[in-house]
């Protein structure tokens, strides 16, 4: 990281975000930046990347994930209790290098009703292979309470559509 970005004083949060986002593509992160996405937008982005990386006959057989198939993956994430469990999930379980879902896309005549294993991330493909490195600015998240306002993030870094790094700028 260039020294001038590290020591330059920032008086506005958005100036810091812009400087960071302008720097990241020089280090392998993809442009364009995803601006102001909702949680639903981020899930759709993740589903599209999972599909792109799992189009083989024995996986998704060139048919996109259904909403209920994506919900199976999200339910598995929601059930995780520690960073260690999240890491194991992302990299696949002991017996497989992928995450298992039951395929329910009726267009996939080969796999519908069967369990398939999907690759989410391969640590051997860092900066290579099928990995996607995306930058997100100002993501918006719904709150659980109906009277609370939507929460907003600063900068998130996605690897294969998964938010693995969240940077909060507080000046």
């Amino acid at each position: 990281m260039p020294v001038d970005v590290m020591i330059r004083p920032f008086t506005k949060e958005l100036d810091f975000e812009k400087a960071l986002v302008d720097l990241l593509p020089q280090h392998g992160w993809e442009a364009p930046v995803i601006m102001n996405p909702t949680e639903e937008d981020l899930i759709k982005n993740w589903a599209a990347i999972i599909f792109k990386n799992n189009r083989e006959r024995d996986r998704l057989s060139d048919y996109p994930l259904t909403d209920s198939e994506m919900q199976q993956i999200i339910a598995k994430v929601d059930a995780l209790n520690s960073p260690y469990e999240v890491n194991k999930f992302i990299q696949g379980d002991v017996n497989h290098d992928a995450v298992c879902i039951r395929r329910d896309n009726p267009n996939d005549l080969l796999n519908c009703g069967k369990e398939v294993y999907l690759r989410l991330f391969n640590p051997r493909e860092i900066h290579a292979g099928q990995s996607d490195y995306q930058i997100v600015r100002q993501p918006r998240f719904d709150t659980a309470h109906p009277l609370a306002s939507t929460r907003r993030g600063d900068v998130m870094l996605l690897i294969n559509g998964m938010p693995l790094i969240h940077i909060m700028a507080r000046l």
Side-chain angles (χ1 to χ4, degrees):
M1 181 178 294
V3 176
D4 67 326
V5 172
M6 299 278 290
I7 60 172
R8 182 178 347 151
F10 293 98
T11 56
K12 295 180 183 172
E13 183 179 316
L14 291 177
D15 292 341
F16 169 77
E17 285 180 29
K18 181 174 179 347
L20 177 64
V21 167
D22 289 347
L23 178 70
L24 288 169
Q26 298 171 33
H27 298 279
W29 294 89
E30 300 166 10
V33 174
I34 301 170
M35 289 294 298
N36 302 307
T38 64
E39 196 168 344
E40 183 179 330
D41 295 333
L42 292 171
I43 290 170
K44 286 179 182 178
N45 177 66
W46 188 24
I49 291 171
I50 292 171
F51 173 60
K52 180 186 79 158
N53 292 340
N54 290 279
R55 295 179 82 143
E56 300 95 336
R57 265 179 71 96
D58 63 335
R59 294 182 191 260
L60 297 177
S61 197
D62 217 21
Y63 294 98
L65 288 165
T66 64
D67 289 344
S68 59
E69 290 168 342
M70 195 62 201
Q71 283 305 313
Q72 290 177 56
I73 296 170
I74 292 169
K76 290 178 187 236
V77 171
D78 288 345
L80 302 172
N81 294 318
S82 71
Y84 174 73
E85 288 179 4
V86 171
N87 185 49
K88 278 180 32 181
F89 172 79
I90 289 169
Q91 294 189 40
D93 66 29
V94 175
N95 300 316
H96 300 88
D97 67 346
V99 173
C100 181
I101 65 164
R102 181 162 301 278
R103 192 77 166 123
D104 67 13
N105 188 329
N107 296 319
D108 183 357
L109 300 176
L110 181 65
N111 297 313
C112 189
K114 297 178 183 175
E115 289 184 342
V116 295
Y117 290 87
L118 305 177
R119 285 184 311 271
L120 299 182
F121 175 76
N122 183 342
R124 293 177 297 273
E125 291 186 348
I126 293 176
H127 270 356
Q130 296 177 329
S131 295
D132 289 274
Y133 296 85
Q134 297 172 302
I135 305 165
V136 176
R137 279 189 72 186
Q138 304 291 312
R140 295 172 287 143
F141 302 97
D142 293 332
T143 57
H145 193 279
L147 298 178
S149 62
T150 301
R151 294 175 291 144
R152 178 194 53 82
D154 294 327
V155 176
M156 279 189 351
L157 303 180
L158 311 178
I159 300 177
N160 284 355
M162 296 176 286
L164 299 183
I165 302 168
H166 189 158
I167 301 166
M168 295 178 62
R170 297 293 174 246
L171 303 178

